[in-house]
């Protein structure tokens, strides 16, 4: 009897040991990677293998570019990076296994690190593209797991910091707001008066001229599409064709609160890689990018 009881105890012990050591299948196992949350994140750092970008929240919670806190950063980009990191951290590892090199995960050149307000940090490394265009990834917290990161995450990490700049709001200038428009191109100067929708040149009505109509249409929304160089160094204006300028547009208008205002658009060279022209707005040092409609009209004036 005692021998049988001992045998039962031994079997129970073995079952308990076996149960404690068993692992769930990859699909059912809870991820070992902590979930990223926006509220608990105070900084981000990412590298696409070439360029490293670092962001942090300031005292008010707004995002800043760590290398230049005064840079006009559009906070939506760090927020989107953070949201995609949260999505990735909530995913489960793939059931496939294999060498890290098989997935391009044998290097640490491409990464994203999220820094928590409690001093913790979480790092992801990225490898080859998946057949669907996403990226294989592995987490420092789970070095043996293979994950899939959204393609959008890689796209954001490869952006230039200038593509994350907060751009000026568009100027909406209808015939009601306009008072005078001057176009300078080369040695020529065209001075136009605008009143109640009527454009005049030296007292003569030119409203129906083709290029006047096109200019009026272009001024309905004057906007830039990107930032080319923030706080440029000496010589950049000349390299961008802004010194001397290719064309200059000066607009006198009444703003939304009834105050007389001026807008100057200085046009430089075409950047063929961006299909946009280098421009300056008023006396700002920042070089922006503007698509072809308005600059091309001014250059052909």
């Amino acid at each position: 009897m005692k021998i049988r009881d001992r045998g039962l105890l031994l079997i129970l012990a073995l079952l308990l040991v076996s149960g404690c050591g068993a692992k769930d299948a990859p699909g059912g196992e809870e991820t070992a990677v902590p979930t990223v949350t926006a509220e608990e994140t105070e900084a981000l750092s990412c590298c696409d293998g070439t360029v490293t970008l670092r962001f942090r929240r300031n005292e008010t919670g707004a995002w800043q570019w760590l290398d230049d806190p005064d840079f006009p950063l559009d906070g939506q980009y760090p927020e989107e990076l953070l949201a995609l990191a949260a999505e990735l951290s909530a995913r489960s590892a793939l059931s496939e296994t294999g060498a890290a090199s098989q997935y391009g995960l044998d290097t640490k050149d491409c990464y994203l690190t999220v820094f928590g307000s409690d001093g913790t940090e979480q790092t992801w490394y990225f490898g080859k593209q998946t057949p669907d265009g996403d990226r294989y990834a592995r987490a420092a917290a789970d070095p043996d797991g293979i994950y899939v990161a959204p393609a959008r995450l890689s796209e954001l990490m490869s952006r230039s910091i200038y593509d994350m700049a907060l751009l000026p709001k568009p100027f909406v200038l209808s015939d009601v707001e306009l008072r005078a428009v001057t176009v300078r191109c080369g040695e020529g100067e065209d001075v136009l008066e605008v009143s109640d929708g009527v454009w005049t040149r030296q007292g003569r009505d030119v409203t129906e001229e083709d290029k006047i109509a096109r200019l009026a249409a272009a001024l309905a929304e004057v906007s830039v599409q990107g930032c080319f160089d923030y706080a440029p160094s000496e010589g950049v204006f000349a390299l961008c064709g802004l010194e001397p300028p290719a064309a200059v547009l000066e607009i006198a208008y009444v703003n939304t609160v009834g105050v007389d205002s001026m807008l100057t658009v200085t046009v430089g060279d075409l950047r063929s890689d961006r299909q946009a022209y280098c421009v300056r707005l008023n006396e700002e040092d920042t070089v922006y990018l503007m698509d072809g409609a308005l600059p091309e009209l001014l250059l052909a004036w």
Side-chain angles (χ1 to χ4, degrees), residues 9-189:
L9 289 172
L10 179 60
I11 292 172
L12 286 172
L14 289 172
L15 287 172
L16 286 172
V17 170
S18 174
C20 291
K23 294 184 178 180
D24 295 332
E29 182 183 5
E30 290 189 8
T31 178
V33 180
T35 301
V36 171
T37 59
E39 297 78 10
E40 298 174 359
T41 300
E42 66 175 16
L44 297 170
S45 178
C46 64
C47 180
D48 68 347
T50 303
V51 178
T52 300
L53 296 174
R54 300 180 297 164
F55 307 101
R56 69 177 176 191
R57 296 188 192 272
N58 63 13
E59 297 77 9
T60 66
W63 286 101
Q64 295 177 313
W65 181 33
L66 191 60
D67 290 1
D68 184 355
D70 293 328
F71 179 80
L73 178 69
D74 188 339
Q76 71 169 334
Y77 293 106
E79 286 292 340
E80 189 175 358
L81 273 169
L82 185 55
L84 291 166
E87 178 185 336
L88 176 57
S89 68
R91 293 186 174 185
S92 299
L94 298 176
S95 57
E96 291 91 340
T97 58
S101 58
Q102 179 181 339
Y103 303 95
L105 293 169
D106 49 340
T107 67
K108 297 182 178 181
D109 296 336
C110 188
Y111 64 85
L112 168 68
T113 301
V114 177
F115 299 89
S117 55
D118 57 356
T120 60
E121 62 182 69
Q122 182 182 151
T123 299
W124 290 88
Y125 301 102
F126 303 94
K128 298 177 181 178
Q129 278 193 331
T130 70
D132 296 329
D134 294 325
R135 292 282 292 276
Y136 290 113
R138 65 183 177 91
D142 182 20
D144 296 326
I146 304 297
Y147 296 79
V148 173
R152 176 63 177 165
L153 183 54
S154 297
E155 179 186 332
L156 281 178
M157 288 170 53
S158 296
R159 273 179 173 252
S160 160
I161 187 62
Y162 294 122
D163 290 331
M164 298 184 179
L166 187 64
L167 302 177
K169 292 182 179 179
F171 294 86
V172 179
L173 304 170
S174 69
D175 289 341
V176 176
E177 288 85 22
L178 293 173
R179 294 294 179 266
V181 176
T182 300
V183 180
R184 297 190 184 91
C185 183
E187 299 297 323
E189 179 180 86

Side-chain angles (χ1 to χ4, degrees), residues 184-186 237 240-248 265-269 299:
R184 297 190 184 91
C185 183
F237 290 158
C240 292
L242 293 163
E243 203 173 74
V248 177
V265 180
T266 304
V267 181
D269 291 338
L299 292 171

